[in-house]
Amino acid sequence: MTFYAFGINHSSSAVAVAEAFRASPEDQARMYERFDLSSDAEVVLLSTCNRTEVYLYGRFRDCLHIQHVLAQAAGWASWPSGDAFMVQDEAAIRHVLHVASGLQSVVLGDAQILSQMKEAYQRAIDHDSVHSLMHRLMHTAFRAAKRVVHETELASGSASISTAAVAMAETFFAQYGFSDLESQHVLVLGAGKMGALALHALANYTPESVTLSNRTQESAHALAAEHDAAVVDWNRRYEALQKADVVIVATGAPDPVLTPGEVPERPYKPLPALVVDVAVPRNVAPTLNDHADYTVRDMDALETWTDEVHAQRRSEVPDAEAICEEILSDFVTWVFHQQALQPAIQAIRHTFEGIRAKEVERHAHRIDSMDREEVERLTQSIMQKLLAVPIVRLKNVDPESIDFVHGIKLLHALFTRADDRDEIDDELLPERPAEGHPSLSDRPRHASHTTDEESTGAASATDNAAPRCPYEAAMSDAADEISALLRSPHS
C-alpha cells in the first residue's frame, strides 16, 4: 500500500485538458460509485476550476483503475499521461499539504482551495472512501494550511482567481489613465463562489457601477444585497454587456454563455471591454477575442499575469514549505507508528478471539442454536469493549517516549500463539532452561530502586490507604509491568 497523488492541474496541462476532466459534484458522486478498488484502499477526489486530482492510499492497480474511470467520464479514450502528473510516498503527501496551503495555486496563497478541499473530503466521507490514514492526512493538510496562514505572509493580501481577475482589470485600465477602476462599469456573470469573491474584491476599488447577473434570480438578489450591486435578468445580460467596461464571467456553466454572434456593438465606448473568463470549462467563446469591441482573457492569460503577483509572494514560500516539511515529518512518523503497531494489534485481537471462540465452543452443548448466535454476539461485543481502550491508548503512544520498536515487537511476541512464532525473535522471549521453574522471586521488584526510608514511607502510605478493589489493583500492577517492559533497552 502506497500514498499516491495524481491528476490534471494548471501546472501540468493546458486549459482545454483541464476543461475536459473537470467533474461536477454529481459527476464525482458517479465516479465514486464506479470505483472498484482494493478492499483497504482510501481515496479523495478533488475537482476545481484548476485541477482534477486524486489522493489515494492504495495500490498501483487502483491508480490505473481510477485513471480509466476519469478518462471515460471525460470522454477520452485513455488517460492523458503527457498532460498529467503522478507522485507517490512522501512526495504525494507533500503535494497534498502544498495544495491545501495555497502553494500550488495559480495565485499563491489562494484561500479558496482550502474550502474546496474540505468539500472534497466530506464528499469522500459520504461515499465511505476514507478511513484512518486518509482521515489523518486530510486533517494534517488542513492543519498545515492554518499554520501557513498564521505564521507567514503568503496569504496576506492573497487573491483567489476571481480577485486576481479584478486586479488584472485594474492594471488593464490603468494603462489608459483610469486608476482603481474609476468611471468603469463592471458586470459580473455568476453568483456562485467565484462571483462572490469577485464582488468582494471589487469593494477595494471605486468602479462607477457594479451589476450582477445570474440564472437564478434569488441567488443574484441575495448576493447583490451584500455588495450593494445592481441585478439584471439573465436573459438581458447582453444588454448589460453593451454598457460594461469590465466583465468577469464565472458561472460554472458547461458551455459558453457569451458568444460572438450575440454580443452587441459598442459604438459609444472608446475602449474595448475587458472580458475575463475565470471559469473552467470556458464560459466565453474564444473567438469573441476577434471582435474589435472586446478583449478576452482566459485562465491561461490570467496565469501569465499572476507571475508578477507570485514574484511578490515568493519570498514567503520557503517559510511556508518549511512548515509543510515539519508537518510532513510528523505525519510520516505517525504512519510508521501505525504500521509498526498493526502486527501487534492483530496478534492481540487474534489471541483474544481464539480464547473467546474456544470458550463458547466449550459450553456449546449447554445452549441451543438461537442462544448460540446471541452468545456469539454478546461475547464478541465484550471482547471488543475490553480491547478498545488499551488499543486506542497503544495507538496514541508517542514513539519517542519509549523504546518503541523493541516494545512493539515484545507485545507482538507476547500475544502470538506458540505455533505462530516462527518469525518472532527468540531474544525477545528467551526460553527458560528446562530445569528452571518460575517462582515469586523471579517477578520484577519495582521497590528495589527505592531507599529504605522511601520504602518505609511507601509501605506506611499503602497501609493507611483505602483498599482497592481486586480489578483495580490487578490493572494497576499490569500497567506498571507493561510500562517497564516497553521502556526496557534493547537486549
Side-chain angles (χ1 to χ4, degrees):
M1 298 287 285
T2 303
F3 283 101
Y4 294 95
F6 60 91
I8 307 289
N9 61 36
H10 63 90
S11 298
S12 67
S13 65
V15 171
V17 180
E19 284 180 345
F21 280 84
R22 185 188 180 192
S24 68
E26 295 75 20
D27 293 334
Q28 294 174 55
R30 286 189 287 269
M31 289 178 188
Y32 277 116
E33 295 299 324
R34 291 188 59 195
F35 288 162
D36 184 15
L37 308 178
S38 304
S39 60
D40 47 357
E42 307 178 40
V43 63
V44 173
L45 175 61
L46 172 68
S47 188
T48 71
C49 292
N50 301 308
R51 66 185 73 246
T52 295
E53 298 184 353
V54 176
Y55 309 136
L56 169 72
Y57 179 67
R59 296 170 173 80
F60 185 67
R61 64 173 179 266
D62 296 322
C63 296
L64 297 178
H65 172 73
I66 293 173
Q67 290 171 358
H68 177 70
V69 171
L70 265 61
Q72 282 194 328
W76 286 48
S78 61
W79 177 250
S81 300
D83 289 288
F85 78 96
M86 173 180 276
V87 289
Q88 64 185 70
D89 299 325
E90 282 90 343
I93 299 166
R94 182 179 295 109
H95 178 83
V96 175
L97 302 186
H98 283 190
V99 170
S101 301
L103 285 165
Q104 293 283 336
S105 298
V106 173
V107 178
L108 277 171
D110 181 9
Q112 187 181 11
I113 185 63
L114 181 59
S115 62
Q116 291 169 330
M117 286 190 71
K118 289 181 177 180
E119 290 174 0
Y121 171 51
Q122 183 59 55
R123 192 173 297 112
I125 293 174
D126 293 342
H127 288 85
D128 196 26
S129 293
V130 293
H131 307 295
S132 60
L133 286 168
M134 198 58 71
H135 278 305
R136 183 72 172 229
L137 174 57
M138 298 307 292
H139 282 282
T140 298
F142 302 152
R143 182 161 57 91
K146 184 177 180 180
R147 283 192 56 187
V148 167
V149 168
H150 289 94
E151 298 178 28
T152 75
E153 297 297 321
L154 186 72
S156 179
S158 171
S160 68
I161 295 300
S162 294
T163 53
V166 173
M168 174 190 275
E170 195 278 334
T171 301
F172 178 83
F173 285 99
Q175 65 184 326
Y176 298 107
F178 299 97
S179 61
D180 293 331
L181 296 177
E182 60 181 350
S183 303
Q184 307 303 306
H185 297 274
V186 180
L187 172 64
V188 177
L189 299 182
K193 289 183 178 179
M194 302 287 275
L197 288 169
L199 290 173
H200 180 75
L202 284 166
N204 298 319
Y205 300 89
T206 56
E208 182 71 20
S209 69
V210 177
T211 302
L212 175 65
S213 184
N214 190 61
R215 293 181 187 275
T216 305
Q217 285 290 89
E218 293 80 4
S219 300
H221 282 284
L223 183 59
E226 295 178 16
H227 298 279
D228 195 25
V231 176
V232 65
D233 187 84
W234 181 254
N235 294 327
R236 298 179 60 196
R237 65 188 183 281
Y238 284 105
E239 296 178 29
L241 185 64
Q242 187 174 33
K243 179 183 177 182
D245 301 295
V246 178
V247 185
I248 298 175
V249 187
T251 70
D255 301 304
V257 297
L258 293 180
T259 58
E262 297 185 67
V263 297
E265 300 291 333
R266 307 172 74 251
Y268 306 110
K269 290 288 188 177
L271 298 175
L274 177 66
V275 181
V276 185
D277 185 0
V278 300
V280 178
R282 282 172 284 197
N283 284 179
V284 178
T287 52
L288 181 59
N289 198 45
D290 299 331
H291 199 296
D293 290 332
Y294 298 93
T295 298
V296 178
R297 297 287 184 265
D298 62 10
M299 286 296 298
D300 284 337
L302 186 61
E303 184 173 355
T304 300
W305 181 87
T306 55
D307 283 346
E308 182 179 346
V309 179
H310 278 194
Q312 299 171 2
R313 298 190 173 101
R314 284 193 185 109
S315 62
E316 296 297 317
V317 169
D319 289 341
E321 289 180 340
I323 290 172
C324 290
E325 287 303 308
E326 177 187 337
I327 293 178
L328 168 63
S329 178
D330 291 343
F331 180 78
V332 170
T333 298
W334 178 84
V335 170
F336 280 121
H337 181 194
Q338 298 304 300
Q339 291 178 340
L341 281 173
Q342 286 310 308
I345 292 174
Q346 289 173 2
I348 293 171
R349 285 176 170 157
H350 179 67
T351 299
F352 274 71
E353 171 59 22
I355 294 171
R356 183 203 67 80
K358 285 184 178 179
E359 287 302 303
V360 170
E361 185 63 31
R362 190 160 66 93
H363 296 281
H365 63 282
R366 302 182 181 181
I367 52 181
D368 58 34
S369 59
M370 292 294 292
D371 289 337
R372 174 66 179 267
E373 294 179 2
E374 185 62 29
V375 168
E376 288 282 355
R377 285 194 294 270
L378 176 62
T379 54
Q380 286 174 353
S381 176
I382 292 172
M383 184 191 75
Q384 291 170 0
K385 290 177 180 178
L386 286 173
L387 291 178
V389 172
I391 286 178
V392 168
R393 288 181 176 174
L394 186 59
K395 288 182 175 181
N396 289 331
V397 169
D398 180 0
E400 297 182 0
S401 69
I402 58 174
D403 184 349
F404 183 71
V405 174
H406 181 80
I408 296 305
K409 287 183 178 179
L410 181 56
L411 279 175
H412 190 189
L414 286 170
F415 285 97
T416 299
R417 296 168 61 180
D419 54 355
D420 292 332
R421 282 190 181 159
D422 294 341
E423 299 180 1
I424 300 298
D425 188 349
D426 289 338
E427 293 184 1
L428 289 172
L429 292 175
E431 296 290 337
R432 182 179 297 276
E435 65 276 8
H437 298 281
S439 67
L440 290 177
S441 63
D442 292 325
R443 69 183 178 89
R445 295 182 179 274
H446 304 294
S448 61
H449 299 288
T450 62
T451 63
D452 291 340
E453 291 181 0
E454 291 171 334
S455 299
T456 302
S460 176
T462 302
D463 292 340
N464 295 329
R468 294 181 296 172
C469 73
Y471 177 78
E472 180 185 354
M475 290 300 292
S476 177
D477 291 343
D480 291 342
E481 298 279 349
I482 291 173
S483 295
L485 289 170
L486 288 175
R487 297 177 189 277
S488 64
H490 285 290
S491 301

